[in-house]
Short mmCIF file of all heavy atoms in Angstrom, two decimals:
data_model
loop_
_atom_site.label_atom_id
_atom_site.label_comp_id
_atom_site.label_asym_id
_atom_site.label_seq_id
_atom_site.Cartn_x
_atom_site.Cartn_y
_atom_site.Cartn_z
N ASN A 3 116.33 94.61 141.46
CA ASN A 3 115.27 93.72 141.35
C ASN A 3 113.97 94.57 141.03
O ASN A 3 113.76 95.52 141.82
CB ASN A 3 114.99 92.83 142.52
CG ASN A 3 116.20 91.90 142.66
OD1 ASN A 3 116.91 91.55 141.69
ND2 ASN A 3 116.47 91.51 143.87
N VAL A 4 113.19 94.14 140.06
CA VAL A 4 111.99 94.96 139.67
C VAL A 4 110.78 94.04 139.60
O VAL A 4 110.90 92.86 139.17
CB VAL A 4 112.18 95.60 138.25
CG1 VAL A 4 110.91 96.34 137.89
CG2 VAL A 4 113.40 96.55 138.32
N VAL A 5 109.61 94.57 140.11
CA VAL A 5 108.38 93.74 140.08
C VAL A 5 107.30 94.67 139.41
O VAL A 5 107.20 95.82 139.82
CB VAL A 5 107.94 93.29 141.43
CG1 VAL A 5 106.53 92.68 141.42
CG2 VAL A 5 108.91 92.36 142.12
N GLY A 6 106.55 94.15 138.45
CA GLY A 6 105.53 94.86 137.80
C GLY A 6 104.18 94.46 138.36
O GLY A 6 104.10 93.67 139.21
N TYR A 7 103.14 94.97 137.70
CA TYR A 7 101.78 94.63 138.11
C TYR A 7 100.90 94.34 136.94
O TYR A 7 101.07 95.10 135.86
CB TYR A 7 101.20 95.86 138.97
CG TYR A 7 99.90 95.45 139.66
CD1 TYR A 7 99.90 94.82 140.88
CD2 TYR A 7 98.65 95.81 139.11
CE1 TYR A 7 98.73 94.47 141.55
CE2 TYR A 7 97.46 95.42 139.81
CZ TYR A 7 97.53 94.81 141.01
OH TYR A 7 96.37 94.42 141.53
N ASP A 8 99.99 93.51 137.02
CA ASP A 8 98.98 93.14 135.93
C ASP A 8 99.44 91.89 135.09
O ASP A 8 98.61 91.33 134.50
CB ASP A 8 98.66 94.14 134.94
CG ASP A 8 97.54 95.13 135.51
OD1 ASP A 8 96.97 94.90 136.52
OD2 ASP A 8 97.35 96.20 134.86
N ASN A 9 100.69 91.53 135.19
CA ASN A 9 101.18 90.38 134.51
C ASN A 9 100.70 90.28 133.07
O ASN A 9 100.18 89.20 132.58
CB ASN A 9 100.76 89.06 135.23
CG ASN A 9 101.52 87.81 134.71
OD1 ASN A 9 102.70 87.92 134.51
ND2 ASN A 9 100.79 86.73 134.70
N THR A 10 100.80 91.36 132.31
CA THR A 10 100.42 91.34 130.94
C THR A 10 101.51 90.60 130.10
O THR A 10 102.56 90.17 130.52
CB THR A 10 100.40 92.81 130.41
OG1 THR A 10 101.75 93.40 130.38
CG2 THR A 10 99.42 93.67 131.18
N ILE A 11 101.09 90.31 128.82
CA ILE A 11 102.05 89.59 127.94
C ILE A 11 103.40 90.27 127.76
O ILE A 11 104.37 89.57 127.48
CB ILE A 11 101.38 89.30 126.63
CG1 ILE A 11 102.00 88.24 125.81
CG2 ILE A 11 101.23 90.59 125.79
CD1 ILE A 11 101.22 87.63 124.69
N LEU A 12 103.41 91.58 127.94
CA LEU A 12 104.71 92.25 127.82
C LEU A 12 105.76 91.80 128.84
O LEU A 12 106.94 91.93 128.65
CB LEU A 12 104.52 93.68 127.95
CG LEU A 12 103.65 94.45 126.81
CD1 LEU A 12 103.43 95.90 127.12
CD2 LEU A 12 104.34 94.22 125.49
N CYS A 13 105.23 91.31 129.96
CA CYS A 13 106.20 90.77 130.98
C CYS A 13 107.13 89.68 130.47
O CYS A 13 108.28 89.58 130.85
CB CYS A 13 105.45 90.28 132.21
SG CYS A 13 104.55 91.58 133.08
N ASN A 14 106.63 88.92 129.61
CA ASN A 14 107.37 87.83 128.94
C ASN A 14 108.29 88.30 127.85
O ASN A 14 109.28 87.70 127.46
CB ASN A 14 106.55 86.70 128.37
CG ASN A 14 105.96 85.81 129.47
OD1 ASN A 14 106.66 85.52 130.44
ND2 ASN A 14 104.80 85.40 129.28
N CYS A 15 107.89 89.49 127.20
CA CYS A 15 108.67 90.00 126.14
C CYS A 15 109.87 90.80 126.52
O CYS A 15 110.75 91.04 125.69
CB CYS A 15 107.74 90.91 125.32
SG CYS A 15 106.38 90.00 124.55
N MET A 16 109.93 91.20 127.77
CA MET A 16 111.02 92.03 128.25
C MET A 16 112.27 91.20 128.48
O MET A 16 112.17 89.97 128.76
CB MET A 16 110.68 92.75 129.52
CG MET A 16 109.46 93.62 129.38
SD MET A 16 109.04 94.38 130.87
CE MET A 16 109.76 95.98 130.66
N VAL A 17 113.45 91.75 128.48
CA VAL A 17 114.71 91.10 128.67
C VAL A 17 115.46 91.87 129.90
O VAL A 17 115.72 92.95 129.65
CB VAL A 17 115.59 90.90 127.47
CG1 VAL A 17 116.86 90.28 127.86
CG2 VAL A 17 114.90 90.14 126.40
N PRO A 18 115.57 91.32 131.03
CA PRO A 18 115.01 90.07 131.46
C PRO A 18 113.50 90.14 131.73
O PRO A 18 112.98 91.17 131.82
CB PRO A 18 115.79 89.81 132.81
CG PRO A 18 116.03 91.22 133.32
CD PRO A 18 116.20 92.03 132.10
N GLY A 19 112.99 88.82 131.69
CA GLY A 19 111.55 88.82 131.91
C GLY A 19 111.09 89.49 133.29
O GLY A 19 111.81 89.43 134.26
N LEU A 20 110.04 90.21 133.27
CA LEU A 20 109.55 90.99 134.35
C LEU A 20 108.72 90.16 135.36
O LEU A 20 107.69 89.77 134.99
CB LEU A 20 108.76 92.16 133.90
CG LEU A 20 108.20 93.20 134.95
CD1 LEU A 20 109.45 93.83 135.66
CD2 LEU A 20 107.37 94.24 134.34
N THR A 21 109.19 90.00 136.49
CA THR A 21 108.43 89.42 137.67
C THR A 21 107.17 90.38 137.84
O THR A 21 107.36 91.59 137.75
CB THR A 21 109.35 89.34 138.88
OG1 THR A 21 110.36 88.46 138.67
CG2 THR A 21 108.41 88.82 140.08
N SER A 22 106.06 89.72 137.99
CA SER A 22 104.82 90.53 138.09
C SER A 22 103.77 89.98 138.98
O SER A 22 103.81 88.80 139.19
CB SER A 22 104.21 90.71 136.65
OG SER A 22 103.09 91.50 136.68
N ILE A 23 102.96 90.84 139.56
CA ILE A 23 101.87 90.43 140.38
C ILE A 23 100.64 90.30 139.42
O ILE A 23 100.24 91.24 138.72
CB ILE A 23 101.48 91.48 141.43
CG1 ILE A 23 102.77 91.58 142.40
CG2 ILE A 23 100.26 91.16 142.21
CD1 ILE A 23 102.65 92.71 143.36
N ASP A 24 100.01 89.14 139.44
CA ASP A 24 98.84 88.89 138.63
C ASP A 24 97.62 89.02 139.47
O ASP A 24 97.37 88.12 140.37
CB ASP A 24 98.89 87.43 137.97
CG ASP A 24 97.82 87.24 136.96
OD1 ASP A 24 96.87 88.01 136.92
OD2 ASP A 24 98.01 86.30 136.22
N PRO A 25 96.82 90.05 139.34
CA PRO A 25 95.64 90.21 140.15
C PRO A 25 94.46 89.41 139.70
O PRO A 25 93.36 89.48 140.31
CB PRO A 25 95.44 91.70 140.04
CG PRO A 25 95.88 92.08 138.73
CD PRO A 25 97.06 91.23 138.42
N HIS A 26 94.56 88.69 138.64
CA HIS A 26 93.59 87.92 138.00
C HIS A 26 92.34 88.77 137.68
O HIS A 26 91.21 88.59 138.06
CB HIS A 26 93.12 86.74 138.88
CG HIS A 26 94.32 85.82 139.16
ND1 HIS A 26 94.79 85.03 138.24
CD2 HIS A 26 94.98 85.60 140.36
CE1 HIS A 26 95.76 84.33 138.73
NE2 HIS A 26 95.89 84.58 140.03
N ILE A 27 92.65 89.80 136.84
CA ILE A 27 91.58 90.74 136.39
C ILE A 27 90.49 90.09 135.71
O ILE A 27 89.29 90.42 135.90
CB ILE A 27 92.23 91.77 135.41
CG1 ILE A 27 93.27 92.59 136.15
CG2 ILE A 27 91.18 92.63 134.76
CD1 ILE A 27 92.72 93.56 137.15
N GLU A 28 90.80 88.96 135.02
CA GLU A 28 89.65 88.26 134.30
C GLU A 28 88.59 87.75 135.27
O GLU A 28 87.35 87.88 135.01
CB GLU A 28 90.21 87.05 133.44
CG GLU A 28 91.13 87.49 132.38
CD GLU A 28 92.58 87.60 132.80
OE1 GLU A 28 92.88 87.28 134.04
OE2 GLU A 28 93.35 88.15 132.09
N ASN A 29 89.07 87.20 136.37
CA ASN A 29 88.09 86.73 137.46
C ASN A 29 87.30 87.87 138.01
O ASN A 29 86.14 87.65 138.33
CB ASN A 29 88.88 85.99 138.57
CG ASN A 29 89.60 84.74 138.07
OD1 ASN A 29 89.32 84.23 137.03
ND2 ASN A 29 90.44 84.19 138.94
N MET A 30 87.94 89.05 138.23
CA MET A 30 87.23 90.11 138.76
C MET A 30 86.14 90.60 137.79
O MET A 30 85.07 90.91 138.23
CB MET A 30 88.21 91.38 139.01
CG MET A 30 89.22 91.10 140.18
SD MET A 30 90.17 92.52 140.45
CE MET A 30 91.43 91.81 141.41
N CYS A 31 86.48 90.68 136.49
CA CYS A 31 85.50 91.02 135.50
C CYS A 31 84.34 90.10 135.41
O CYS A 31 83.22 90.57 135.34
CB CYS A 31 86.18 91.18 134.15
SG CYS A 31 87.43 92.56 134.06
N ASP A 32 84.61 88.80 135.41
CA ASP A 32 83.53 87.80 135.39
C ASP A 32 82.67 87.97 136.60
O ASP A 32 81.41 87.90 136.45
CB ASP A 32 84.21 86.38 135.43
CG ASP A 32 84.88 86.01 134.19
OD1 ASP A 32 84.69 86.71 133.08
OD2 ASP A 32 85.58 85.06 134.13
N THR A 33 83.29 88.16 137.77
CA THR A 33 82.43 88.29 139.01
C THR A 33 81.58 89.61 138.93
O THR A 33 80.40 89.62 139.26
CB THR A 33 83.33 88.39 140.30
OG1 THR A 33 84.06 87.15 140.32
CG2 THR A 33 82.51 88.53 141.53
N ALA A 34 82.15 90.75 138.41
CA ALA A 34 81.44 91.95 138.27
C ALA A 34 80.23 91.72 137.36
O ALA A 34 79.10 92.29 137.61
CB ALA A 34 82.39 93.05 137.77
N ALA A 35 80.50 91.02 136.24
CA ALA A 35 79.35 90.82 135.34
C ALA A 35 78.27 90.03 135.89
O ALA A 35 77.07 90.26 135.64
CB ALA A 35 79.92 90.11 134.07
N LEU A 36 78.60 89.00 136.73
CA LEU A 36 77.61 88.24 137.41
C LEU A 36 76.80 88.98 138.43
O LEU A 36 75.63 88.86 138.53
CB LEU A 36 78.25 86.99 138.04
CG LEU A 36 78.85 85.86 137.17
CD1 LEU A 36 79.58 84.87 138.01
CD2 LEU A 36 77.70 85.22 136.43
N ILE A 37 77.52 89.87 139.15
CA ILE A 37 76.87 90.69 140.15
C ILE A 37 75.89 91.69 139.35
O ILE A 37 74.77 91.92 139.79
CB ILE A 37 77.87 91.53 140.93
CG1 ILE A 37 78.61 90.55 141.92
CG2 ILE A 37 77.20 92.65 141.70
CD1 ILE A 37 79.81 91.25 142.61
N LEU A 38 76.39 92.35 138.36
CA LEU A 38 75.50 93.10 137.52
C LEU A 38 74.28 92.42 137.02
O LEU A 38 73.19 92.94 137.06
CB LEU A 38 76.22 93.74 136.41
CG LEU A 38 75.60 94.75 135.52
CD1 LEU A 38 75.03 95.85 136.25
CD2 LEU A 38 76.42 95.17 134.34
N ASP A 39 74.42 91.25 136.50
CA ASP A 39 73.34 90.42 136.06
C ASP A 39 72.36 90.20 137.16
O ASP A 39 71.15 90.24 136.93
CB ASP A 39 73.82 89.06 135.42
CG ASP A 39 72.69 88.30 134.81
OD1 ASP A 39 71.94 88.88 133.99
OD2 ASP A 39 72.58 87.08 135.17
N GLU A 40 72.87 89.83 138.39
CA GLU A 40 71.93 89.58 139.48
C GLU A 40 71.19 90.87 139.88
O GLU A 40 70.01 90.84 140.26
CB GLU A 40 72.80 89.13 140.72
CG GLU A 40 73.23 87.69 140.52
CD GLU A 40 74.19 87.24 141.74
OE1 GLU A 40 74.55 88.03 142.56
OE2 GLU A 40 74.60 86.07 141.78
N LEU A 41 71.85 91.97 139.87
CA LEU A 41 71.25 93.22 140.23
C LEU A 41 70.14 93.56 139.18
O LEU A 41 69.02 94.08 139.52
CB LEU A 41 72.22 94.39 140.28
CG LEU A 41 73.20 94.33 141.49
CD1 LEU A 41 74.34 95.33 141.29
CD2 LEU A 41 72.45 94.48 142.78
N LEU A 42 70.39 93.29 137.91
CA LEU A 42 69.42 93.60 136.89
C LEU A 42 68.21 92.69 137.06
O LEU A 42 67.05 93.05 136.64
CB LEU A 42 70.09 93.47 135.51
CG LEU A 42 71.09 94.51 135.07
CD1 LEU A 42 71.81 94.24 133.81
CD2 LEU A 42 70.47 95.89 135.02
N GLN A 43 68.38 91.49 137.63
CA GLN A 43 67.29 90.64 137.82
C GLN A 43 66.61 90.81 139.20
O GLN A 43 65.86 90.03 139.67
CB GLN A 43 67.78 89.18 137.74
CG GLN A 43 68.22 88.76 136.36
CD GLN A 43 68.71 87.25 136.40
OE1 GLN A 43 68.10 86.49 136.97
NE2 GLN A 43 69.83 87.08 135.64
N LYS A 44 67.05 91.89 139.87
CA LYS A 44 66.45 92.29 141.15
C LYS A 44 66.85 91.23 142.23
O LYS A 44 66.09 91.14 143.22
CB LYS A 44 64.94 92.51 141.09
CG LYS A 44 64.45 93.37 140.05
CD LYS A 44 64.58 94.86 140.47
CE LYS A 44 63.79 95.74 139.48
NZ LYS A 44 64.63 96.77 138.92
N LYS A 45 67.90 90.56 142.11
CA LYS A 45 68.40 89.59 143.11
C LYS A 45 69.44 90.29 143.92
O LYS A 45 69.97 91.28 143.54
CB LYS A 45 69.13 88.31 142.45
CG LYS A 45 68.08 87.53 141.60
CD LYS A 45 68.83 86.30 140.96
CE LYS A 45 67.96 85.61 140.15
NZ LYS A 45 68.58 84.44 139.42
N THR A 46 69.67 89.78 145.20
CA THR A 46 70.65 90.30 146.06
C THR A 46 71.98 89.47 145.78
O THR A 46 71.99 88.30 146.12
CB THR A 46 70.25 90.16 147.52
OG1 THR A 46 68.95 90.90 147.66
CG2 THR A 46 71.32 90.79 148.47
N PRO A 47 73.06 90.13 145.37
CA PRO A 47 74.27 89.38 145.14
C PRO A 47 74.92 89.07 146.48
O PRO A 47 74.63 89.70 147.49
CB PRO A 47 75.10 90.44 144.29
CG PRO A 47 74.53 91.71 144.60
CD PRO A 47 73.11 91.51 144.90
N GLU A 48 75.85 88.18 146.44
CA GLU A 48 76.70 87.92 147.64
C GLU A 48 77.43 89.10 148.12
O GLU A 48 77.79 90.02 147.25
CB GLU A 48 77.79 86.79 147.28
CG GLU A 48 77.18 85.45 146.99
CD GLU A 48 78.34 84.45 146.67
OE1 GLU A 48 79.38 84.58 147.23
OE2 GLU A 48 78.02 83.56 145.83
N ARG A 49 77.71 89.29 149.36
CA ARG A 49 78.25 90.57 149.82
C ARG A 49 79.74 90.62 149.77
O ARG A 49 80.28 91.65 149.60
CB ARG A 49 77.87 90.66 151.30
CG ARG A 49 76.38 90.84 151.48
CD ARG A 49 75.88 92.19 151.08
NE ARG A 49 74.52 92.37 151.24
CZ ARG A 49 73.77 93.18 150.58
NH1 ARG A 49 74.33 93.96 149.72
NH2 ARG A 49 72.49 93.23 150.76
N ILE A 50 80.44 89.46 149.85
CA ILE A 50 81.94 89.46 149.85
C ILE A 50 82.47 88.69 148.77
O ILE A 50 82.06 87.57 148.56
CB ILE A 50 82.50 88.94 151.20
CG1 ILE A 50 81.91 89.79 152.38
CG2 ILE A 50 83.97 88.79 151.20
CD1 ILE A 50 82.29 89.25 153.75
N HIS A 51 83.38 89.30 148.01
CA HIS A 51 84.16 88.59 146.99
C HIS A 51 85.62 88.87 147.27
O HIS A 51 86.09 90.02 147.27
CB HIS A 51 83.79 89.10 145.66
CG HIS A 51 82.32 88.80 145.26
ND1 HIS A 51 81.88 87.58 144.71
CD2 HIS A 51 81.19 89.53 145.35
CE1 HIS A 51 80.60 87.62 144.53
NE2 HIS A 51 80.12 88.71 144.97
N ALA A 52 86.42 87.81 147.41
CA ALA A 52 87.78 88.00 147.71
C ALA A 52 88.61 87.46 146.56
O ALA A 52 88.25 86.39 145.94
CB ALA A 52 88.18 87.24 148.99
N PHE A 53 89.59 88.10 146.17
CA PHE A 53 90.47 87.81 145.05
C PHE A 53 91.90 87.67 145.55
O PHE A 53 92.40 88.66 146.19
CB PHE A 53 90.33 88.76 143.84
CG PHE A 53 88.94 88.89 143.31
CD1 PHE A 53 88.13 89.88 143.74
CD2 PHE A 53 88.47 88.02 142.39
CE1 PHE A 53 86.81 90.05 143.34
CE2 PHE A 53 87.15 88.11 141.93
CZ PHE A 53 86.35 89.15 142.31
N SER A 54 92.59 86.65 145.19
CA SER A 54 93.96 86.48 145.67
C SER A 54 94.88 86.71 144.52
O SER A 54 94.93 86.00 143.52
CB SER A 54 94.12 85.10 146.18
OG SER A 54 93.30 84.86 147.36
N PRO A 55 95.77 87.74 144.61
CA PRO A 55 96.74 87.93 143.56
C PRO A 55 97.80 86.91 143.62
O PRO A 55 97.97 86.16 144.64
CB PRO A 55 97.26 89.33 143.93
CG PRO A 55 97.09 89.49 145.34
CD PRO A 55 95.84 88.71 145.67
N GLU A 56 98.55 86.75 142.57
CA GLU A 56 99.64 85.69 142.48
C GLU A 56 100.95 86.35 141.98
O GLU A 56 100.85 87.15 141.01
CB GLU A 56 99.21 84.66 141.53
CG GLU A 56 100.16 83.47 141.33
CD GLU A 56 99.67 82.52 140.32
OE1 GLU A 56 98.55 82.66 139.71
OE2 GLU A 56 100.31 81.51 140.12
N LEU A 57 102.01 86.03 142.69
CA LEU A 57 103.30 86.56 142.18
C LEU A 57 103.91 85.60 141.12
O LEU A 57 104.02 84.44 141.36
CB LEU A 57 104.28 86.73 143.35
CG LEU A 57 105.63 87.33 143.02
CD1 LEU A 57 105.49 88.72 142.49
CD2 LEU A 57 106.55 87.36 144.23
N ILE A 58 104.15 86.13 139.95
CA ILE A 58 104.66 85.35 138.88
C ILE A 58 106.18 85.69 138.78
O ILE A 58 106.56 86.73 138.40
CB ILE A 58 104.01 85.74 137.50
CG1 ILE A 58 102.46 85.59 137.61
CG2 ILE A 58 104.55 84.84 136.34
CD1 ILE A 58 102.02 84.15 137.92
#
Side-chain angles (χ1 to χ4, degrees):
N3 293 334
V4 178
V5 176
Y7 192 81
D8 276 351
N9 194 38
T10 64
I11 195 162
L12 295 176
C13 294
N14 282 324
C15 297
M16 302 178 97
V17 177
L20 181 62
T21 296
S22 183
I23 297 170
D24 188 343
H26 300 293
I27 296 293
E28 298 85 7
N29 294 346
M30 290 182 199
C31 292
D32 290 344
T33 301
L36 291 173
I37 291 170
L38 180 59
D39 185 53
E40 289 174 352
L41 291 171
L42 291 172
Q43 294 180 40
K44 308 278 191 233
K45 296 180 183 176
T46 302
E48 293 179 32
R49 297 283 179 204
I50 297 174
H51 295 277
F53 301 95
S54 298
E56 178 182 5
L57 184 60
I58 308 299

